[in-house]
Amino acid sequence: INAEYMGESMNESQQVDQAVARVRDVFSLLRSLLVSIVDARCSGDTKSGDCRQLLSQFAVLMVELRQLNRLIQLATENAKGEAHVHRTALDSRNLQLQSLLYEKSIIAGEIRDCLSVVGIPGDLSLLSEDEFTTQTGTKPPTPVAVFASDPNVAFQEQAAQSRAVHSFNLSRLHDELRERQRLAAQLKDIRAEKRALMTLNAGKLKHLSDIAEQLGSIIKNHFAFCDYTHTISH
């Protein structure tokens, strides 16, 4: 191909655009030459210089058309290769983005868990750490100073200490919950026993009331009988 298609100053896109435009021009020229050649052959003038010149121009244009075709095919293969490279880079970037989104979802879940953590209210009466340790044998976490130079290592150590403190506080809360559940069950039993005793006492009071009523009737009848006997004797 001529230097106008292979110039080093042109980029590949410009070369392809010019090659495509040149293909259109070549097809137009070939169409005109074919018409002229067909007219020459129809007129029987196939051996003249003009006919040979038309055939020579036609051959040159066909060679140029093949060269343009090779250039366009080569540019197409190069574009496919570049597209594959860019597609691979895009797929890699998409995978990285998916990994970041997955890490984001995990971190968001951890943040929600942290926000949902309920600490020990100040007005909640719990056993002191010493009493809790004595009764359950669970030792409180020992604070450790963090001197790691790596921020990630320091963050992990601080997170581990925070989890230990949180776990210890949860143990205290669970112990308080078990104790309160035990006391609540004991209170329920005592109230049930109280209701049973009150029912029993109500039955005994009614029985005593019936006996008192019977004694009153007996005493009344006794005095009436005494009055009757005294009247007869006189």
Side-chain angles (χ1 to χ4, degrees):
I1 293 190
N2 296 331
E4 61 179 323
Y5 304 115
M6 301 298 295
E8 295 180 356
S9 61
M10 294 184 181
N11 56 37
E12 190 172 355
S13 177
Q14 291 176 339
Q15 294 178 16
V16 172
D17 292 340
Q18 291 189 5
V20 172
R22 181 57 183 169
V23 167
R24 295 192 182 96
D25 296 339
V26 170
F27 273 118
S28 179
L29 293 173
L30 286 174
R31 189 179 299 108
S32 300
L33 287 174
L34 283 174
V35 172
S36 300
I37 292 172
V38 170
D39 292 341
R41 288 186 177 183
C42 290
S43 63
D45 187 13
T46 58
K47 296 182 179 180
S48 64
D50 293 338
C51 185
R52 285 194 297 270
Q53 185 179 2
L54 291 174
L55 291 173
S56 177
Q57 291 178 1
F58 184 84
V60 172
L61 289 175
M62 288 299 298
V63 172
E64 184 179 1
L65 184 62
R66 293 190 183 94
Q67 291 176 344
L68 292 171
N69 182 50
R70 285 195 296 270
L71 175 63
I72 294 173
Q73 288 183 354
L74 179 62
T76 301
E77 294 299 325
N78 292 336
K80 289 181 179 179
E82 292 179 359
H84 177 72
V85 172
H86 291 303
R87 187 182 299 110
T88 302
L90 181 61
D91 293 340
S92 176
R93 187 61 59 87
N94 287 334
L95 289 176
Q96 294 177 0
L97 180 60
Q98 291 177 1
S99 299
L100 290 176
L101 290 175
Y102 178 71
E103 293 179 2
K104 177 185 175 183
S105 64
I106 293 178
I107 294 174
E110 294 291 337
I111 292 174
R112 287 194 298 270
D113 292 340
C114 292
L115 293 176
S116 64
V117 171
V118 179
I120 300 177
D123 57 349
L124 182 61
S125 177
L126 295 178
L127 292 176
S128 64
E129 292 186 1
D130 295 336
E131 293 175 339
F132 176 74
T133 301
T134 302
Q135 292 185 8
T136 62
T138 303
K139 295 182 179 180
T142 303
V144 179
V146 178
F147 299 103
S149 58
D150 189 352
N152 293 329
V153 175
F155 175 77
Q156 292 177 1
E157 292 180 357
Q158 292 176 355
Q161 293 188 23
S162 298
R163 285 193 295 269
V165 173
H166 180 61
S167 178
F168 180 74
N169 290 332
L170 285 179
S171 298
R172 293 177 64 192
L173 288 172
H174 290 163
D175 180 75
E176 182 68 21
L177 177 61
R178 288 191 297 268
E179 182 65 18
R180 294 195 178 197
Q181 288 176 343
R182 185 187 67 80
L183 293 176
Q186 184 177 357
L187 178 62
K188 182 179 179 180
D189 294 338
I190 292 174
R191 286 177 175 175
E193 184 178 356
K194 177 183 177 181
R195 286 193 296 269
L197 290 175
M198 291 177 66
T199 303
L200 180 62
N201 290 336
K204 290 182 176 179
L205 288 174
K206 187 176 183 306
H207 180 65
L208 291 175
S209 177
D210 294 340
I211 293 175
E213 185 178 354
Q214 292 176 4
L215 287 176
S217 177
I218 292 172
I219 293 172
K220 182 178 179 181
N221 292 333
H222 173 71
F223 283 117
F225 179 75
C226 290
D227 292 339
Y228 176 74
T229 55
H230 180 71
T231 303
I232 292 175
S233 60
H234 289 287

